[in-house]
Amino acid sequence: MGERPRTGRAAAGAGHGPVILAAGAVLWLPGRPKKSGRLGRPRIALVHRPKYDDWSLPKGKLEAGEGMAEAALREVREETGFHCLLGPELPTQHYRVQGRPKEVRYWAAVPSSGSFRPNREVDRLEWLPAGKARARLTHDQDRLLVDALLAVLGAEPVRAAGAGPVKERWK
């Protein structure tokens, strides 16, 4: 999976102080079968974090000695209750948190077992079609990951002109 050898919570940044390292996944399910025999739109798991009152994708910081893919699997399990299988890597996000640089690596992932139970970090989980997931996500950078997943799956989001809701066309 192209795992980079990184360990611990932070790596040295280029003159910016320690980089916060984190990993996560865009957890998705194939759509329900239609009468035509084709699958419907994929559904994406979003988590609600009461601490921030936001809708996000499962992710979190690396623990000491942990690799990125290992952290992604653990974070998905802790936040959603699902064990998952990692698929293709999605774009890495870089942003600042309280003045510190943060790097978050993401993978596409499908659940293999488990079930959601509200916990200290996440009080709700919803499986939504991509357009509704994009609308519900609090942070713009998370919407880019939904688009990246759709590209990996061979689906292309089509946006109407203006600020209207996202419309999707599936190949």
Side-chain angles (χ1 to χ4, degrees):
M1 277 182 238
E3 183 73 17
R4 284 186 257 172
R6 293 252 174 112
T7 59
R9 288 197 177 266
H16 301 287
V19 176
I20 301 165
L21 297 177
V26 180
L27 191 63
W28 69 280
L29 288 170
R32 294 183 177 100
K34 295 185 172 199
K35 290 180 185 178
S36 67
R38 295 183 64 179
L39 291 177
R41 297 176 180 172
R43 293 172 290 142
I44 298 169
L46 301 188
V47 295
H48 181 262
R49 303 181 302 172
K51 178 178 179 179
Y52 304 106
D53 191 24
D54 70 353
W55 286 94
S56 185
L57 300 165
K59 68 176 176 295
K61 293 181 233 170
L62 271 67
E63 292 183 350
E66 190 174 47
M68 289 285 203
E70 184 182 5
L73 291 168
R74 177 185 50 77
E75 284 293 336
V76 169
R77 188 175 58 255
E78 287 178 0
E79 293 189 3
T80 70
F82 290 99
H83 292 266
C84 68
L85 302 171
L86 296 182
E89 189 166 357
L90 300 174
T92 299
Q93 293 185 353
H94 300 272
Y95 53 94
R96 289 189 152 321
V97 175
Q98 297 176 348
R100 290 179 58 195
K102 185 170 186 176
E103 175 184 320
V104 188
R105 286 180 59 193
Y106 284 92
W107 282 264
V110 293
S112 56
S113 65
S115 63
F116 176 70
R117 289 200 176 129
N119 57 67
R120 184 177 53 82
E121 290 184 60
V122 174
D123 63 350
R124 289 184 280 171
L125 179 141
E126 290 194 22
W127 292 97
L128 299 172
K132 289 183 179 180
R134 287 181 100 266
R136 177 77 54 91
L137 285 163
T138 302
H139 306 287
D140 288 337
Q141 71 263 20
D142 290 342
R143 293 183 186 96
L144 299 174
L145 292 163
V146 171
D147 292 345
L149 173 70
L150 295 177
V152 165
L153 298 176
E156 224 177 278
V158 177
R159 290 172 186 78
V166 172
K167 295 187 178 184
E168 298 166 355
R169 178 185 73 228
W170 300 84
K171 294 181 183 177

